[in-house]
PDB file of all heavy atoms in Angstrom:
ATOM      1  N   SER B  81     -41.537  55.701 -46.891  1.00  0.00           N
ATOM      2  CA  SER B  81     -42.604  56.694 -47.062  1.00  0.00           C
ATOM      3  C   SER B  81     -43.663  56.541 -45.977  1.00  0.00           C
ATOM      4  O   SER B  81     -44.176  57.535 -45.453  1.00  0.00           O
ATOM      5  CB  SER B  81     -43.243  56.577 -48.442  1.00  0.00           C
ATOM      6  OG  SER B  81     -43.755  55.285 -48.630  1.00  0.00           O
ATOM      7  N   THR B  82     -43.981  55.296 -45.595  1.00  0.00           N
ATOM      8  CA  THR B  82     -44.981  55.083 -44.536  1.00  0.00           C
ATOM      9  C   THR B  82     -44.484  55.644 -43.209  1.00  0.00           C
ATOM     10  O   THR B  82     -45.234  56.319 -42.491  1.00  0.00           O
ATOM     11  CB  THR B  82     -45.275  53.584 -44.381  1.00  0.00           C
ATOM     12  OG1 THR B  82     -45.598  53.051 -45.657  1.00  0.00           O
ATOM     13  CG2 THR B  82     -46.410  53.319 -43.439  1.00  0.00           C
ATOM     14  N   ASN B  83     -43.210  55.380 -42.895  1.00  0.00           N
ATOM     15  CA  ASN B  83     -42.662  55.902 -41.634  1.00  0.00           C
ATOM     16  C   ASN B  83     -42.630  57.422 -41.626  1.00  0.00           C
ATOM     17  O   ASN B  83     -42.956  58.059 -40.618  1.00  0.00           O
ATOM     18  CB  ASN B  83     -41.233  55.382 -41.421  1.00  0.00           C
ATOM     19  CG  ASN B  83     -41.207  53.903 -41.087  1.00  0.00           C
ATOM     20  OD1 ASN B  83     -42.233  53.317 -40.787  1.00  0.00           O
ATOM     21  ND2 ASN B  83     -40.044  53.303 -41.147  1.00  0.00           N
ATOM     22  N   LEU B  84     -42.250  58.023 -42.763  1.00  0.00           N
ATOM     23  CA  LEU B  84     -42.162  59.491 -42.811  1.00  0.00           C
ATOM     24  C   LEU B  84     -43.550  60.123 -42.725  1.00  0.00           C
ATOM     25  O   LEU B  84     -43.736  61.134 -42.040  1.00  0.00           O
ATOM     26  CB  LEU B  84     -41.454  59.946 -44.086  1.00  0.00           C
ATOM     27  CG  LEU B  84     -39.945  59.730 -44.096  1.00  0.00           C
ATOM     28  CD1 LEU B  84     -39.385  60.014 -45.473  1.00  0.00           C
ATOM     29  CD2 LEU B  84     -39.251  60.619 -43.067  1.00  0.00           C
ATOM     30  N   LEU B  85     -44.529  59.529 -43.411  1.00  0.00           N
ATOM     31  CA  LEU B  85     -45.892  60.066 -43.341  1.00  0.00           C
ATOM     32  C   LEU B  85     -46.453  59.948 -41.931  1.00  0.00           C
ATOM     33  O   LEU B  85     -47.265  60.765 -41.496  1.00  0.00           O
ATOM     34  CB  LEU B  85     -46.811  59.327 -44.322  1.00  0.00           C
ATOM     35  CG  LEU B  85     -46.701  59.749 -45.767  1.00  0.00           C
ATOM     36  CD1 LEU B  85     -47.506  58.805 -46.644  1.00  0.00           C
ATOM     37  CD2 LEU B  85     -47.214  61.168 -45.972  1.00  0.00           C
ATOM     38  N   GLY B  86     -46.000  58.922 -41.185  1.00  0.00           N
ATOM     39  CA  GLY B  86     -46.473  58.747 -39.813  1.00  0.00           C
ATOM     40  C   GLY B  86     -45.999  59.824 -38.866  1.00  0.00           C
ATOM     41  O   GLY B  86     -46.539  59.961 -37.763  1.00  0.00           O
ATOM     42  N   LEU B  87     -44.994  60.615 -39.308  1.00  0.00           N
ATOM     43  CA  LEU B  87     -44.508  61.694 -38.446  1.00  0.00           C
ATOM     44  C   LEU B  87     -45.393  62.927 -38.526  1.00  0.00           C
ATOM     45  O   LEU B  87     -45.209  63.872 -37.759  1.00  0.00           O
ATOM     46  CB  LEU B  87     -43.068  62.055 -38.823  1.00  0.00           C
ATOM     47  CG  LEU B  87     -42.061  60.971 -38.455  1.00  0.00           C
ATOM     48  CD1 LEU B  87     -40.709  61.279 -39.067  1.00  0.00           C
ATOM     49  CD2 LEU B  87     -41.932  60.840 -36.947  1.00  0.00           C
ATOM     50  N   LEU B  88     -46.362  62.926 -39.452  1.00  0.00           N
ATOM     51  CA  LEU B  88     -47.313  64.037 -39.485  1.00  0.00           C
ATOM     52  C   LEU B  88     -48.202  63.937 -38.254  1.00  0.00           C
ATOM     53  O   LEU B  88     -48.580  62.841 -37.850  1.00  0.00           O
ATOM     54  CB  LEU B  88     -48.173  63.961 -40.741  1.00  0.00           C
ATOM     55  CG  LEU B  88     -47.465  64.196 -42.062  1.00  0.00           C
ATOM     56  CD1 LEU B  88     -48.369  63.790 -43.214  1.00  0.00           C
ATOM     57  CD2 LEU B  88     -47.066  65.655 -42.201  1.00  0.00           C
ATOM     58  N   PRO B  89     -48.561  65.062 -37.639  1.00  0.00           N
ATOM     59  CA  PRO B  89     -49.377  64.984 -36.419  1.00  0.00           C
ATOM     60  C   PRO B  89     -50.728  64.341 -36.682  1.00  0.00           C
ATOM     61  O   PRO B  89     -51.333  64.540 -37.733  1.00  0.00           O
ATOM     62  CB  PRO B  89     -49.548  66.453 -36.011  1.00  0.00           C
ATOM     63  CG  PRO B  89     -48.486  67.181 -36.719  1.00  0.00           C
ATOM     64  CD  PRO B  89     -48.187  66.434 -37.971  1.00  0.00           C
ATOM     65  N   HIS B  90     -51.163  63.541 -35.718  1.00  0.00           N
ATOM     66  CA  HIS B  90     -52.483  62.881 -35.740  1.00  0.00           C
ATOM     67  C   HIS B  90     -52.638  61.880 -36.878  1.00  0.00           C
ATOM     68  O   HIS B  90     -53.755  61.485 -37.185  1.00  0.00           O
ATOM     69  CB  HIS B  90     -53.627  63.905 -35.797  1.00  0.00           C
ATOM     70  CG  HIS B  90     -53.655  64.825 -34.628  1.00  0.00           C
ATOM     71  ND1 HIS B  90     -54.022  64.427 -33.368  1.00  0.00           N
ATOM     72  CD2 HIS B  90     -53.306  66.121 -34.528  1.00  0.00           C
ATOM     73  CE1 HIS B  90     -53.921  65.454 -32.536  1.00  0.00           C
ATOM     74  NE2 HIS B  90     -53.481  66.497 -33.211  1.00  0.00           N
ATOM     75  N   SER B  91     -51.546  61.452 -37.503  1.00  0.00           N
ATOM     76  CA  SER B  91     -51.676  60.451 -38.565  1.00  0.00           C
ATOM     77  C   SER B  91     -51.483  59.060 -37.983  1.00  0.00           C
ATOM     78  O   SER B  91     -50.950  58.899 -36.884  1.00  0.00           O
ATOM     79  CB  SER B  91     -50.653  60.707 -39.661  1.00  0.00           C
ATOM     80  OG  SER B  91     -49.360  60.561 -39.131  1.00  0.00           O
ATOM     81  N   PHE B  92     -51.913  58.052 -38.759  1.00  0.00           N
ATOM     82  CA  PHE B  92     -51.755  56.661 -38.355  1.00  0.00           C
ATOM     83  C   PHE B  92     -50.597  56.065 -39.142  1.00  0.00           C
ATOM     84  O   PHE B  92     -50.486  56.264 -40.341  1.00  0.00           O
ATOM     85  CB  PHE B  92     -53.051  55.897 -38.649  1.00  0.00           C
ATOM     86  CG  PHE B  92     -52.930  54.416 -38.455  1.00  0.00           C
ATOM     87  CD1 PHE B  92     -52.825  53.881 -37.186  1.00  0.00           C
ATOM     88  CD2 PHE B  92     -52.911  53.548 -39.535  1.00  0.00           C
ATOM     89  CE1 PHE B  92     -52.695  52.522 -36.997  1.00  0.00           C
ATOM     90  CE2 PHE B  92     -52.786  52.182 -39.358  1.00  0.00           C
ATOM     91  CZ  PHE B  92     -52.672  51.665 -38.090  1.00  0.00           C
ATOM     92  N   THR B  93     -49.720  55.339 -38.438  1.00  0.00           N
ATOM     93  CA  THR B  93     -48.559  54.719 -39.088  1.00  0.00           C
ATOM     94  C   THR B  93     -48.777  53.213 -39.143  1.00  0.00           C
ATOM     95  O   THR B  93     -48.753  52.551 -38.107  1.00  0.00           O
ATOM     96  CB  THR B  93     -47.272  55.005 -38.291  1.00  0.00           C
ATOM     97  OG1 THR B  93     -47.320  56.338 -37.818  1.00  0.00           O
ATOM     98  CG2 THR B  93     -46.043  54.812 -39.136  1.00  0.00           C
ATOM     99  N   PRO B  94     -48.959  52.648 -40.331  1.00  0.00           N
ATOM    100  CA  PRO B  94     -49.189  51.205 -40.404  1.00  0.00           C
ATOM    101  C   PRO B  94     -48.024  50.384 -39.858  1.00  0.00           C
ATOM    102  O   PRO B  94     -48.228  49.285 -39.347  1.00  0.00           O
ATOM    103  CB  PRO B  94     -49.389  50.946 -41.901  1.00  0.00           C
ATOM    104  CG  PRO B  94     -49.801  52.240 -42.461  1.00  0.00           C
ATOM    105  CD  PRO B  94     -49.147  53.290 -41.640  1.00  0.00           C
ATOM    106  N   THR B  95     -46.795  50.929 -39.946  1.00  0.00           N
ATOM    107  CA  THR B  95     -45.645  50.136 -39.507  1.00  0.00           C
ATOM    108  C   THR B  95     -45.499  50.080 -37.985  1.00  0.00           C
ATOM    109  O   THR B  95     -44.568  49.461 -37.475  1.00  0.00           O
ATOM    110  CB  THR B  95     -44.333  50.669 -40.109  1.00  0.00           C
ATOM    111  OG1 THR B  95     -44.348  52.080 -40.064  1.00  0.00           O
ATOM    112  CG2 THR B  95     -44.165  50.201 -41.525  1.00  0.00           C
ATOM    113  N   THR B  96     -46.414  50.695 -37.239  1.00  0.00           N
ATOM    114  CA  THR B  96     -46.424  50.491 -35.790  1.00  0.00           C
ATOM    115  C   THR B  96     -47.158  49.218 -35.421  1.00  0.00           C
ATOM    116  O   THR B  96     -47.130  48.799 -34.252  1.00  0.00           O
ATOM    117  CB  THR B  96     -47.109  51.669 -35.059  1.00  0.00           C
ATOM    118  OG1 THR B  96     -48.397  51.859 -35.621  1.00  0.00           O
ATOM    119  CG2 THR B  96     -46.307  52.937 -35.166  1.00  0.00           C
TER     120      THR B  96
END
Side-chain angles (χ1 to χ4, degrees):
Chain B
S81 58
T82 308
N83 289 347
L84 286 171
L85 281 172
L87 290 170
L88 293 168
H90 299 289
S91 63
F92 172 71
T93 321
T95 42
T96 54

